Amino acid sequence: MIQERMAVFGGVYSNHVALAALLADVRQRGMSQLYCLGDLGAFGPHPNRVFPLLRAAQVAVVQGNYDHSLGHGLPDCRCGYTDARDNYFARLSYAYTFHNTSAENKRWLKDLPPERRLTFAGRQVLLCHGSPRQTNEFLWESTTSNAFLERLFRDSGVDVIVATHTGLPWHRELPGGRHFINCGAIGRPANDGRTAVWYAVLSAVAGGRLEVEIVPLEYDYRQLAAEMRAEQLPEEFVTTIETGWWTTCLEILPARERARGKY
Amino acid sequence: MKDATNRPPPLLPLAALDALWFQVAGTLCNLRCRHCFISCAPDNHTFGFMTLTQVRQHLAESVALGVREYYFTGGEPFLNPDIFEMLAAALALGPATVLTNATRFTPANVARLAALRDASSYSLELRVSLDGFTAETNDPIRGPGTFDQAMRGVELLAGAGFLPIITAMRSWDPQQDEAVLAGFREQLTAAGCSRVRLKLLPALRLGAEAKRDHGYGEDEFLTEEMLMGYDPRQLLCHNSRIVSDRGVHVCPILIDQPAGWLGATLAEGLQPARLSHPACTTCYAYGAICSNAGGLGLETARPPGNLPS
Ligand code: SF4
Ligand code: SF4
Ligand SMILES: [Fe+2]
């Protein structure tokens, strides 16, 4: 028996088509508790389109590094790439997103909280963007030790942590019953050769158990690709949307995650 | 040690122990590179091999501290006969990275490494030092025959499904970066690397490198003023420590410098770092050059489409 459910997603990257599909999907599943872990812009077309959708669905939003940069008018996205090619694309999409995000939406991004705490299934839950201690920290499945997660739980005093920022979803239940969840991104595929994107559903089930599902979301990626081309966004980005393989920002991937992709 | 103005050096508290390094091969290496910042060589016994017991003990202590990842360096880690067991112990707890010159690989030991990698859910990274994409540019620094030996090692790694990260100390004019990187990409692709991962490092003007090129000047010190408004998270010593067969040191760079010594136990090693050494100015300028991310740049394979100029 499911008693309570919530959906958590992140990394929207201006993918308003996937966001609309997600909102329809969760409505159909009967969920009303919706959380977004940030990075609303980047990568995709028409950044202003995601804001009314989030507001209308009353999604509670956490600030990502991209949101922080846009909101504060910083010169870059603070992803910390060192590779020249990654930096080229990062700068290009940041400039596009910055130019096309309204002043009102930038103010809204600036005021987003860096984390949210709530109680769910009798557990203390922390929602953040990168990690509880740093908005732009990458928590990859293959480079995050259990000992490190235990420390994050200890330091933040919670039982469940949900983050995003890497774009790759994963979930680990620690021996003590605490859960770390990376909800992935709905803005672009997970470098797995599928066009679907991913988000997380948390369910409180009978007996006080917490169930975590990483859910694929199909959406009209062709529409997004067409809009990206019309906006003259880099063909490399469109390729990722159409094939499910990452073509840029690969330097940050650890060996195991990198080996799974095509490039 | 004091700076030119006679003030004490800045202190940097350890924010948290995220990375634990092991000087597993001490200062022993089968090579004698002319730019080695701790002058490793077959006969440099300043630091010896760590024992499996020492490594296990530090790994056990690291769990309570919440360490996220482990690094193994030397000297040449694969000279240590216990390296495979050490890696197995580390990979049971978290991700591990080995810094190697790749000249000691055989089909048999690479297969053993692949088995360790496949038995863990964590990443096993191999970082291979190479200082040029030809024998003509590499061998004068790393020794005769080392280019061919290392490329053979890279081929074996690539053949076993590893995606080695190649690190090179930038010994050329930065204006030549693009040409050098293109040369590396071509060589590594020919050696079977399906994803070319390159990391350029600035020179650390210590040890043999100080004699090869030049050392640090007397006035090259960090000051409190320089750290104002500076994000110390860029420095390795803000979240890492290294253990050797002798005890705990602030970082791999200063392992053989008196300024780098912190104590015999990991607990003593958690005290703040004294940024008193001239080499600290290199970290200050380039960030955490020793970790997998960071450095002058990590150049990746080029998927379809070229970098527009
Ligand atoms: S640079 Fe590396 S391979 Fe060369 S002598 Fe030093 S430890 Fe050995
Ligand atoms: S050399 Fe670098 S890592 Fe070592 S103490 Fe100095 S600043 Fe820190
Ligand atoms: Fe992010």
Side-chain angles (χ1 to χ4, degrees):
Chain A
M1 245 301 279
I2 294 174
Q3 291 157 340
E4 206 186 352
R5 287 171 114 190
M6 64 187 258
V8 194
F9 61 96
V12 182
Y13 310 146
S14 300
N15 191 339
H16 62 97
V17 188
L19 177 58
L22 175 126
L23 295 173
D25 195 47
V26 295
R27 215 174 298 127
Q28 201 219 329
R29 290 166 186 261
M31 282 184 280
S32 53
Q33 290 191 60
L34 305 181
Y35 298 92
C36 171
L37 304 190
D39 279 358
L40 305 188
F43 200 79
H46 310 297
N48 284 326
R49 293 191 184 172
V50 301
F51 294 86
L53 295 174
L54 289 168
R55 289 193 197 109
Q58 295 186 311
V59 179
V61 185
V62 165
Q63 189 178 58
N65 53 302
Y66 223 90
D67 312 318
H68 179 271
S69 287
L70 285 173
H72 288 82
L74 299 184
D76 65 61
C77 58
R78 298 281 154 104
C79 290
Y81 301 124
T82 53
D83 177 79
R85 185 174 175 276
D86 286 351
N87 260 322
Y88 168 80
F89 286 114
R91 267 198 297 273
L92 206 140
S93 64
Y94 187 75
Y96 171 86
T97 310
F98 193 86
H99 183 76
N100 290 290
T101 304
S102 73
E104 188 206 338
N105 286 335
K106 281 183 191 144
R107 267 195 303 281
W108 192 79
L109 290 173
K110 182 171 180 238
D111 295 334
L112 289 174
E115 64 170 51
R116 285 176 186 270
R117 284 167 188 262
L118 53 120
T119 309
F120 183 84
R123 290 164 172 83
Q124 299 303 308
V125 180
L126 176 68
L127 305 177
C128 57
H129 181 75
S131 80
R133 63 180 190 174
Q134 197 181 320
T135 296
N136 64 354
E137 182 166 30
F138 291 104
L139 296 185
W140 307 101
E141 184 171 21
S142 87
T143 56
T144 305
S145 70
N146 283 0
F148 179 67
L149 288 180
E150 294 285 8
R151 162 145 62 87
L152 294 183
F153 284 119
R154 235 171 16 242
D155 291 351
S156 51
V158 296
D159 315 299
V160 179
I161 296 171
V162 195
T164 172
H165 187 54
T166 63
L168 297 183
W170 58 281
H171 164 226
R172 197 183 297 162
E173 181 173 0
L174 294 177
R178 301 205 263 202
H179 293 260
F180 177 85
I181 302 141
N182 187 315
C183 66
I186 63 159
R188 65 169 174 171
N191 199 21
D192 55 2
R194 292 180 61 171
T195 53
V197 293
W198 302 81
Y199 71 101
V201 174
L202 278 63
S203 309
V205 290
R209 270 195 329 108
L210 176 72
E211 245 177 42
V212 178
E213 279 173 282
I214 307 278
V215 192
L217 174 75
E218 305 284 354
Y219 71 103
D220 188 354
Y221 69 87
R222 288 190 189 87
Q223 186 196 328
L224 187 83
E227 287 183 20
M228 288 170 82
R229 288 207 172 94
E231 286 296 287
Q232 296 179 336
L233 288 165
E235 194 55 29
E236 283 81 355
F237 289 3
V238 187
T239 301
T240 298
I241 293 297
E242 290 179 332
T243 64
W245 299 117
W246 291 7
T247 55
T248 60
C249 309
L250 294 156
E251 65 164 297
I252 50 171
L253 288 172
R256 191 171 287 274
E257 283 82 356
R258 183 81 186 262
R260 282 193 206 120
K262 184 170 176 192
Y263 299 110
Chain B
M1 221 184 292
K2 301 210 171 165
D3 71 8
T5 53
N6 234 15
R7 272 173 306 202
L11 283 180
L12 183 67
L14 181 73
L17 191 64
D18 291 337
L20 184 59
W21 287 64
F22 293 93
Q23 188 78 15
V24 272
T27 39
L28 291 155
C29 190
N30 55 317
L31 305 187
R32 195 187 290 274
C33 298
R34 293 186 56 219
H35 66 344
C36 185
F37 61 84
I38 46 173
S39 313
C40 294
D43 52 4
N44 184 347
H45 293 273
T46 313
F47 292 89
F49 290 161
M50 292 186 77
T51 65
L52 184 55
T53 313
Q54 285 171 330
V55 170
R56 284 214 173 110
Q57 193 184 324
H58 289 304
L59 284 172
E61 290 172 311
S62 78
V63 171
L65 293 165
V67 169
R68 181 176 174 179
E69 58 175 337
Y70 304 101
Y71 286 85
F72 292 81
T73 187
E76 171 49 46
F78 288 100
L79 292 184
N80 189 317
D82 293 324
I83 185 66
F84 295 97
E85 258 132 311
M86 291 169 174
L87 287 174
L91 284 166
L93 299 173
T97 298
V98 193
L99 280 61
T100 174
N101 60 36
T103 60
R104 308 284 298 184
F105 289 134
T106 61
N109 66 18
V110 167
R112 206 168 159 193
L113 267 183
L116 287 177
R117 172 198 64 199
D118 296 341
S120 174
S121 56
Y122 297 115
S123 272
L124 169 59
E125 295 278 12
L126 288 157
R127 247 166 63 185
V128 174
S129 313
L130 212 55
D131 286 301
F133 59 90
T134 59
E136 290 68 43
T137 47
N138 177 81
D139 291 7
I141 298 176
R142 306 188 69 83
T146 55
F147 180 75
D148 289 343
Q149 284 172 38
M151 286 309 289
R152 176 80 192 120
V154 168
E155 260 171 48
L156 288 170
L157 291 174
F162 283 102
L163 309 177
I165 298 174
I166 311 299
T167 61
M169 190 197 81
R170 186 200 258 157
S171 56
W172 54 87
D173 189 313
Q175 302 225 319
Q176 291 174 279
D177 273 0
E178 264 312 307
V180 174
L181 290 171
F184 266 115
R185 270 195 296 274
E186 196 179 311
Q187 278 289 335
L188 294 166
T189 306
C193 293
S194 54
R195 293 133 178 91
V196 175
R197 303 165 86 201
L198 272 168
K199 183 176 154 77
L200 299 186
L201 301 173
L204 287 158
R205 289 171 270 135
L206 296 172
E209 170 66 6
K211 293 186 201 116
R212 187 191 75 92
D213 193 355
H214 61 93
Y216 289 95
E218 272 176 31
D219 54 349
E220 290 185 78
F221 284 102
L222 290 186
T223 61
E224 294 283 1
E225 288 73 41
M226 287 168 79
L227 289 174
M228 284 208 271
Y230 181 82
D231 184 356
R233 287 180 301 192
Q234 297 171 68
L235 302 176
L236 191 78
C237 52
H238 119 276
N239 68 346
S240 312
R241 289 295 182 257
I242 183 164
V243 289
S244 70
D245 62 338
R246 302 240 215 96
V248 189
H249 313 257
V250 67
C251 67
I253 299 165
L254 300 184
I255 195 147
D256 63 347
Q257 306 284 325
W261 168 258
L262 291 173
T265 65
L266 202 47
E268 289 171 277
L270 305 180
Q271 60 180 299
R274 286 166 56 232
L275 308 183
S276 63
H277 199 278
C280 299
T281 59
T282 301
C283 296
Y284 178 83
Y286 296 106
I289 50 183
C290 305
S291 51
N292 289 344
L296 293 175
L298 194 67
E299 186 77 10
T300 56
R302 308 238 148 166
N306 274 320
L307 178 64
S309 48

